[in-house]
Amino acid sequence: MKTLLTFLIFIYALFAYSSPFDSAFGRVPTMSPKEASAIKEASEANDVSKALEILKEASSKKWAGSAIWFNLANVQMSCDDTASAIESYRQSIKLMPSFFMAQKNLAFALEKVGREDEAFVEMKKALALSGGSDCSILSRLALRSARKGDFSSALNFCNQALMYDSSNKEMYFAKAIFLFELGMFAECEKICTLILSQDENHIEALRLIGKSRAMRGDYKSAISAFEILKKSGKAKVPDIVFLGDLLAREKLYQRSAENYLKADKQESLEKVAFAMLYSGDALGALKLSDKLAKPAKLKLVGLANANLSKNIEAKKNLEEYLTIRADDLYVALRLADIYFAEGQYSKSQALYVQCQSDSKMMLSALYGEMKVEIAKLNYRQALRLAKRIEKINPTSEISNYAKLLEKHCSEME
C-alpha cells in the first residue's frame, strides 16, 4: 500500500492530477501482491514509456484490479493520450465504483478534451464520493455555472468550497465576482475591502470594487478606486478608459480627456471635447483640438470659434468641414448663422433651406430663413414662413409676429 501511495504522489506531482490526500473521503483500492509488484516496478522505471509498458502488460492480466488501471490512466495522461486514459479510468471505476480519485480524474480528463457535459456528470459523481467537500471540483462547477451565466449556482458552489477551505483566496475573490454579477454590490465590496486590507496590491479586487461602486451610482468613490489603480502602474487600457468615462460623467472633462489621451482612445476623446464645448468651455475645447484628427478637428475648432464670435476663423473651418461631411446639418445651420451675421444672405438662405430636411433642425432653419427674407425686405415671403412656423409650433410669440407682418404687408399695398 505504501508503494502505491508513493507512486500516486509521483504522478500527481508531475501532472497535477488527484493525489490520495485530495479529500478526506478519498479511497484507494486494495491490491494483490502481483498488482503491488507491477506498480512498484513501474514507479522505479527509468522513463514514462517504460512505466507505460509495464502497466499495459499488467492490465492485460486477469488479476489486474482498479489500482493497475488507475495508474495506467495516470501514465497515459502524462503521455498526452487522454482518450486511452479516459477508458482506463472507466475500467478502474468499474472495478471499484467508490474509487474517488479515479472518478475525479475521469471527470478532469473529459474536461481536458472538451467533453464538458460528460465531465459535468462525472464531477457530480466524484463530488458525491467526496461528501461534497472537494474544492477543486467545486471550483470547476462554479466556473462552469458562471460560463453559462448561472451566477446563483456559481455562488452556491463557491460558498460550499469555502466551507471546507476558508483560506482559499482565489475562491474568496471568485465569490466577490459572482456577487457583483448578481447585483449584490454591497456584499461584493465588503469582500473586496477585506481582500485589500490583507493585500493592498490585489489589483483585481481594486478594479472590482471600483466597478461595483459605479454600478450602484457612487461615481466619486469609483473614481477614487480607479485613480488608485492608475497610480499603481498596473492599470490596463480598459481601466483608464473606464476612469475617463467616469470623469466625463461627472463633467470633469479635462481630467477625462487626459485619460483618453493616455489610452489613445480617439473616439472617446472627440466625445469629451465636444461635451466640453457644448457645456460652454470653448477655450478648453480648443486646447484639445490639436489632439483630434480631421474632420472632427475642423468641426470642433469651427464651432468653438463660432461660440467665441470669431466668425472669420469659424467660417473657414466649418466650410472645409462641410466639404467632407456635407450631411452634418447642425454644422450647416451654424454656418448659415455666420453667413447671415456677415450679410451673405444667399449663402445663408441656401443652408437654411437645406437644414429644413431634418425634423430636429426644421424650426431653427425656418426662423433663419424668415430672418433672411426680412433682411432682404421680402416681407410677404417672411409672412409665409411665419405662418408655416405657427402651424408647426403655435406660440403667442410667433402668432403676434405673423400678425405684425400681415399688417405690414397690408399697409404696403
Side-chain angles (χ1 to χ4, degrees):
M1 183 67 73
K2 183 177 179 182
T3 302
L4 171 62
L5 295 180
T6 302
F7 185 53
L8 293 181
I9 294 169
F10 164 72
I11 293 295
Y12 173 72
L14 282 180
F15 312 114
Y17 271 70
S18 303
S19 82
F21 303 115
D22 276 348
S23 169
F25 294 85
R27 297 186 183 90
V28 293
T30 57
M31 294 180 296
S32 67
K34 289 181 179 180
E35 288 179 284
S37 176
I39 290 171
K40 181 177 185 298
E41 183 182 359
S43 69
E44 294 173 349
N46 293 328
D47 54 51
V48 175
S49 60
K50 181 61 177 175
L52 182 63
E53 180 185 335
I54 294 168
L55 291 169
K56 272 188 175 181
E57 183 180 353
S59 69
S60 67
K61 306 299 184 181
K62 290 183 178 180
W63 46 259
S66 182
I68 291 290
W69 286 101
F70 175 71
N71 280 275
L72 173 60
N74 284 346
V75 176
Q76 287 167 332
M77 287 297 299
S78 74
C79 296
D80 206 25
D81 185 3
T82 309
S84 295
I86 288 170
E87 296 310 312
S88 295
Y89 284 133
R90 289 193 189 280
Q91 183 61 26
S92 179
I93 295 166
K94 182 179 179 181
L95 293 169
M96 183 180 176
S98 62
F99 192 179
F100 164 72
M101 289 183 293
Q103 186 68 63
K104 178 177 177 179
N105 281 9
L106 171 60
F108 289 0
L110 288 166
E111 182 184 58
K112 181 180 179 182
V113 295
R115 293 160 64 178
E116 291 193 4
D117 290 340
E118 292 177 72
F120 177 61
V121 172
E122 302 302 335
M123 278 187 201
K124 288 195 293 184
K125 292 178 184 177
L127 187 63
L129 289 172
S130 76
S133 67
D134 189 272
C135 291
S136 61
I137 294 176
L138 288 166
S139 65
R140 277 172 161 80
L141 293 176
L143 179 60
R144 183 179 188 274
S145 297
R147 282 201 302 263
K148 291 180 175 293
D150 184 0
F151 295 104
S152 291
S153 295
L155 181 60
N156 288 335
F157 285 126
C158 191
N159 283 332
Q160 191 173 342
L162 288 169
M163 282 177 59
Y164 296 100
D165 186 6
S166 59
S167 63
N168 190 317
K169 295 180 180 179
E170 289 76 16
M171 288 302 293
Y172 200 52
F173 180 64
K175 179 176 180 177
I177 294 174
F178 302 147
L179 288 167
F180 175 86
E181 294 293 347
L182 290 167
M184 301 169 73
F185 302 121
E187 294 89 335
C188 167
E189 290 168 40
K190 184 177 180 181
I191 290 177
C192 289
T193 300
L194 182 58
I195 291 172
L196 289 168
S197 71
Q198 298 169 349
D199 179 8
E200 62 182 13
N201 295 315
H202 199 297
I203 300 303
E204 291 79 9
L206 183 58
R207 180 183 294 116
L208 186 60
I209 200 172
K211 288 187 175 182
S212 180
R213 289 170 176 174
M215 288 297 293
R216 61 180 176 81
D218 187 357
Y219 301 110
K220 288 182 172 59
S221 294
I223 288 170
S224 176
F226 275 91
E227 288 283 15
I228 294 170
L229 178 57
K230 182 181 174 183
K231 288 177 182 177
S232 75
K234 296 181 181 179
K236 297 179 180 178
V237 169
D239 298 325
I240 296 171
V241 173
F242 193 77
L243 175 57
D245 293 344
L246 289 170
L247 290 164
R249 195 191 182 288
E250 293 298 291
K251 296 181 172 55
L252 300 170
Y253 298 126
Q254 189 60 50
R255 288 172 61 190
S256 174
E258 290 169 4
N259 285 280
Y260 291 143
L261 279 169
K262 184 177 179 64
D264 194 24
K265 193 74 170 178
Q266 183 71 201
E267 183 179 351
S268 297
L269 182 62
E270 288 179 11
K271 289 179 180 179
V272 79
F274 282 102
M276 187 179 292
L277 173 69
Y278 299 143
S279 72
D281 188 1
L283 291 175
L286 280 174
K287 289 178 182 178
L288 287 178
S289 64
D290 286 340
K291 308 299 182 182
L292 304 186
K294 290 183 178 181
K297 179 179 179 179
L298 292 168
K299 179 178 179 177
L300 182 68
V301 172
L303 293 176
N305 279 318
N307 288 0
L308 294 169
S309 300
K310 297 181 178 180
N311 287 348
I312 295 175
E313 296 91 332
K315 185 168 65 173
K316 176 183 175 183
N317 284 282
L318 295 181
E319 285 175 340
E320 186 179 351
Y321 171 76
L322 286 174
T323 63
I324 303 170
R325 289 290 308 275
D327 61 335
D328 192 332
L329 297 184
Y330 175 75
V331 170
L333 188 65
R334 294 298 302 274
L335 183 57
D337 291 338
I338 293 172
Y339 284 148
F340 177 80
E342 294 190 339
Q344 295 179 275
Y345 299 134
S346 296
K347 286 185 174 182
S348 177
Q349 187 169 27
L351 289 177
Y352 283 136
V353 171
Q354 179 185 349
C355 292
Q356 289 170 33
S357 63
D358 187 331
S359 60
K360 294 179 181 178
M361 307 286 175
M362 182 180 289
L363 276 174
S364 295
L366 285 170
Y367 271 107
E369 188 182 2
M370 184 178 70
K371 287 190 303 181
V372 171
E373 295 294 2
I374 292 171
K376 292 165 66 176
L377 306 181
N378 294 332
Y379 296 113
R380 292 191 182 282
Q381 283 295 97
L383 176 59
R384 179 184 63 81
L385 290 165
K387 287 184 175 297
R388 187 177 171 191
I389 293 170
E390 184 181 23
K391 187 175 181 180
I392 296 170
N393 185 38
T395 63
S396 58
E397 182 182 6
I398 190 62
S399 295
N400 291 334
Y401 196 70
K403 288 177 182 178
L404 286 173
L405 283 172
E406 194 168 19
K407 181 181 179 182
H408 186 72
C409 289
S410 298
E411 291 173 352
M412 288 174 61
E413 292 178 352

